[in-house]
Amino acid sequence: MATQKTFTDSYASSLNEKVSRGEDLQLYIDSTFVFDESQTRWVGGLVQPEELLDKMLKHSDKSQDLQAAITLYEGFRQLRSVVASEKPFWIYLGHVDLYPYMHKRFLNDVTRLLQKDPTKSSVILNRWFFPREFVRNHLAGMWWDVKCTIDETDSDPYIYTRTLFKYYDMRSMNFANYKMFRNKEQVKGILKCIGEHPEIFDPYWQSRIRFVTKYFNRLGATKQLIALPWEFFYHTVESLLDEISQITDSGKETIIDTRTEKEKQLDSDWQNEQE
């Protein structure tokens, strides 16, 4: 069994900076990514999962992201949170161990983008690096999505993971970006209720799920949510279902957009990939 490797902080940053400047983008069209082996280091106590790449390649289609996420999590089930929070670790996986999967998963997106503008790097930045929210990085986001939704006590431990992946906006533009996502009881209660009421949440799902997220953000300012059981969150959402069913358009709410033009473009390109 081999010990898992990662990039040095400085090398991961240099790769990020080059892509941010629009340099070396054509490398991401190649089937193999050439990197500097001297800029890697061992991750103490972490064994490299066997055959993980072969398993991931079986789920490289966009429609198979849920299964890819579960496969990735099961491969790195023993991954410590402190390592899972290190950007160079995921940048290494995306450029080395799991690069063939990343290449197959995003080749069409990268090719289409570079044909429009050879210096435009948004798809590469969004998927291989961390230009915006941490969980939007493809590999890091998938692992944390499963980590924060898995319920080992349930006969189907991935029941809430499936609900999260059903509504993709929850994963990287909404729910999963908030601190509440680290509260397992809160995640379970909210996702359980949402999953049991598709007749409420399937129509206008973006606006309705954002309402739920904002409701608990406001509630968290006055109540210690971390101490409450999942039943509290479930019944709270349940009590709001009539109100939620009346929501049809979040555009009525005035939101001050503080993003830079580059951030807006990254967000736009990311969202276009999902549709």
Side-chain angles (χ1 to χ4, degrees):
M1 293 187 293
T3 301
Q4 180 63 52
K5 287 185 176 183
T6 184
F7 281 144
T8 63
D9 292 352
S10 59
Y11 188 65
S13 295
S14 69
L15 289 175
N16 189 5
E17 290 169 3
K18 286 183 179 180
V19 171
S20 296
R21 294 194 299 265
E23 300 175 9
D24 294 343
L25 304 186
Q26 294 296 326
L27 294 178
Y28 293 83
I29 294 180
D30 297 338
S31 59
T32 302
F33 190 89
V34 179
F35 67 98
D36 186 348
E37 179 69 37
S38 70
Q39 295 298 312
T40 64
R41 59 180 179 83
W42 304 107
V43 180
L46 183 60
V47 176
Q48 185 181 43
E50 296 182 358
E51 301 179 354
L52 178 59
L53 174 60
D54 291 339
K55 296 174 183 177
M56 294 288 289
L57 283 171
K58 295 177 182 178
H59 308 296
S60 58
D61 187 80
K62 176 181 175 180
S63 64
Q64 299 173 306
D65 278 353
L66 169 61
Q67 191 56 49
I70 293 173
T71 300
L72 178 64
Y73 179 80
E74 290 180 345
F76 282 107
R77 184 179 286 270
Q78 303 305 318
L79 182 63
R80 292 175 292 128
S81 295
V82 65
V83 178
S85 299
E86 295 179 354
K87 295 178 180 180
F89 173 77
W90 298 109
I91 293 173
Y92 173 88
L93 288 183
H95 287 80
V96 186
D97 292 357
L98 297 181
Y99 178 79
Y101 161 78
M102 293 289 288
H103 178 262
K104 189 175 181 180
R105 172 66 177 81
F106 295 109
L107 178 60
N108 289 339
D109 293 327
V110 172
T111 301
R112 184 166 55 249
L113 186 74
L114 295 184
Q115 285 176 343
K116 292 181 180 179
D117 183 348
T119 65
K120 191 174 183 180
S121 58
S122 54
V123 171
I124 299 169
L125 283 174
N126 275 329
R127 297 317 192 166
W128 273 266
F129 297 96
F130 298 83
R132 298 285 281 138
E133 293 81 1
F134 190 90
V135 294
R136 193 182 298 180
N137 172 279
H138 186 64
L139 296 177
M142 290 199 302
W143 190 89
W144 278 107
D145 286 342
V146 181
K147 172 71 173 178
C148 293
T149 56
I150 190 171
D151 185 356
E152 301 284 8
T153 67
D154 198 287
S155 59
D156 177 5
Y158 300 113
I159 184 171
Y160 308 122
T161 310
R162 277 195 287 276
T163 298
L164 182 68
F165 273 73
K166 178 180 179 180
Y167 304 106
Y168 74 80
D169 189 65
M170 292 181 72
R171 294 177 52 207
S172 297
M173 299 290 283
N174 187 19
F175 184 63
N177 281 312
Y178 293 92
K179 290 182 180 179
M180 71 172 71
F181 198 53
R182 301 295 185 264
N183 182 352
K184 296 275 287 190
E185 294 293 292
Q186 187 169 1
V187 169
K188 177 178 178 178
I190 293 174
L191 290 180
K192 181 176 176 63
C193 194
I194 290 175
E196 291 178 0
H197 293 281
E199 77 284 358
I200 298 294
F201 288 97
D202 281 1
Y204 305 103
W205 62 267
Q206 288 179 310
S207 301
R208 294 179 179 185
I209 289 173
R210 286 173 183 173
F211 173 86
V212 173
T213 301
K214 291 175 182 178
Y215 179 89
F216 282 105
N217 275 337
R218 291 192 294 267
L219 189 62
T222 59
K223 188 182 289 287
Q224 289 292 323
L225 301 182
I226 193 67
L228 298 172
W230 70 264
E231 291 89 349
F232 168 81
F233 302 101
Y234 177 91
H235 292 305
T236 299
V237 177
E238 190 176 45
S239 71
L240 296 169
L241 290 179
D242 286 344
E243 183 177 356
I244 292 170
S245 67
Q246 303 303 311
I247 298 172
T248 59
D249 184 10
S250 62
K252 295 178 181 178
E253 181 178 358
T254 301
I255 300 174
I256 300 175
D257 193 342
T258 60
R259 296 174 299 171
T260 65
E261 289 303 317
K262 184 175 182 179
E263 289 172 337
K264 291 178 183 178
Q265 187 61 60
L266 286 167
D267 289 346
S268 176
D269 288 338
W270 185 91
Q271 199 141 17
N272 287 338
E273 293 169 37
Q274 313 310 307
E275 299 173 350

